[in-house]
Amino acid sequence: QVQVAEYGGGFVQTGGSLRLSCVVSGLVLSYYDVGWFRSTAAKEREFVATFEREQTQYGDSVKGRFTISRDNAKSTVFLQMNNLKPEDTAIYYCNVRGYDWWGQGTQVTVSS
């Protein structure tokens, strides 16, 4: 069965960086698009970044700061987050697009 697991969250100060990983097992990753979403008390599943075919798309709030990438051989999708802001604080989830396949999320906390 398909399993999704996020890693790499943590506590950072404003302006810092984190690199999240999403390991997807049970499928050949190259056949699927994968995206990142985040959740807070105020916003459920806010769009962050995704692959769409061979292109990438980003939410307005993270454009220029976050970069999504993938390593199909390792069945892993990454989210490089730079210049982090307190408003980036959230639980970050990885999703196989078109399916209700989500991980448990990884917490990112950015202090002001």
Side-chain angles (χ1 to χ4, degrees):
Q1 71 277 16
V2 174
Q3 296 188 44
V4 182
E6 302 91 344
Y7 303 93
F11 182 90
V12 298
Q13 297 183 27
T14 297
S17 298
L18 284 174
R19 184 176 175 87
L20 306 183
S21 300
C22 169
V23 180
V24 184
S25 61
L27 53 75
V28 179
L29 190 62
S30 62
Y31 286 98
Y32 299 86
D33 283 335
V34 177
W36 288 93
F37 297 77
R38 64 189 184 187
S39 295
T40 66
K43 297 182 179 179
E44 180 179 350
R45 296 291 196 270
E46 178 188 12
F47 171 71
V48 175
T50 191
F51 285 101
E52 294 184 0
R53 298 177 182 268
E54 295 300 318
Q55 302 179 27
T56 57
Q57 300 290 334
Y58 297 91
D60 290 341
S61 64
V62 306
K63 287 180 180 177
R65 299 188 298 119
F66 290 11
T67 303
I68 188 171
S69 62
R70 65 195 294 161
D71 185 338
N72 289 330
K74 296 182 178 180
S75 197
T76 302
V77 177
F78 304 96
L79 184 68
Q80 178 67 45
M81 305 184 295
N82 296 327
N83 192 24
L84 284 161
K85 305 175 180 180
E87 50 263 45
D88 295 318
T89 295
I91 303 174
Y92 284 72
Y93 296 90
C94 179
N95 170 247
V96 181
R97 307 306 304 277
Y99 300 88
D100 193 25
W101 296 337
W102 302 82
Q104 294 300 302
T106 185
Q107 176 70 49
V108 172
T109 302
V110 184
S111 63
S112 60

